[in-house]
Amino acid sequence: PLQTCSGLQAGIEASIHATREIWEETHTQGALLVDADNAFNRLNRSLAIHNIRQICPLFHRYLANTYQKPAKMIISDDSKTDYVMSQEGCTQGDVAAMAFYALGIQPLTERLSQVIDRDSCKQSWYADDSTATGTFVQIR
């Protein structure tokens, strides 16, 4: 699978062009487009950090230091201030969030690529947006 949200300049363009080229192949019958709902917030933080430790040890050190403990998120209005603890997902605005998410779901993308015939179905990912293009049997 092609994950283009991190490490590539203009990654979304690469994903779009790759999908278009696959779409134009003669055996292509359809495309399945998936946009995961609230995916960055729903990422299992501890599992993602565990997986990244195996996939990319140097990046793991940064993420472990940044995300190992829940962050206090402040909720405030004119009358009172309260907080909730952020324990899951990637932090919005974190420069590492895209790479964290991409590597965090990498075992999922790899597993999905193992259960298809790569000659008749191709996957393209941009963070939580994915496309499977190919024969109907393979994209189901």
Side-chain angles (χ1 to χ4, degrees):
L2 176 65
Q3 174 59 275
T4 62
C5 73
S6 184
L8 296 173
Q9 188 173 14
I12 189 67
E13 290 180 28
S15 187
I16 291 167
H17 290 298
T19 301
R20 183 190 42 120
E21 287 178 19
I22 296 163
W23 180 255
E24 293 173 352
E25 292 177 0
T26 57
H27 75 276
T28 299
Q29 296 174 324
L32 174 65
L33 307 169
V34 177
D35 181 4
D37 177 48
N38 203 16
F40 281 80
N41 290 326
R42 293 183 183 194
L43 181 69
N44 183 318
R45 188 181 290 176
S46 61
L47 181 60
I49 290 172
H50 171 79
N51 289 337
I52 293 168
R53 182 178 197 166
Q54 310 306 313
I55 298 165
C56 188
L58 291 174
F59 190 46
H60 169 264
R61 178 165 295 167
Y62 170 81
L63 292 174
N65 288 335
T66 304
Y67 287 100
Q68 66 186 336
K69 299 209 184 234
K72 188 183 287 188
M73 298 177 67
I74 300 168
I75 304 168
S76 179
D77 63 17
D78 292 337
S79 62
K80 71 176 198 171
T81 300
D82 205 352
Y83 66 91
V84 294
M85 299 304 288
S86 171
Q87 300 180 43
E88 292 295 327
C90 306
T91 302
Q92 184 176 2
D94 181 3
V95 296
M98 283 292 228
F100 182 19
Y101 185 82
L103 288 171
I105 67 164
Q106 201 263 343
L108 169 67
T109 61
E110 282 300 316
R111 177 69 182 119
L112 288 172
S113 73
Q114 292 170 1
V115 298
I116 60 168
D117 175 8
R118 292 184 186 191
D119 292 329
S120 60
C121 183
K122 306 278 193 275
Q123 298 177 40
S124 177
W125 291 74
Y126 186 81
D128 63 331
D129 299 314
S130 65
T131 304
T133 310
T135 64
F136 290 137
V137 170
Q138 290 298 312
I139 64 175
R140 60 166 170 70

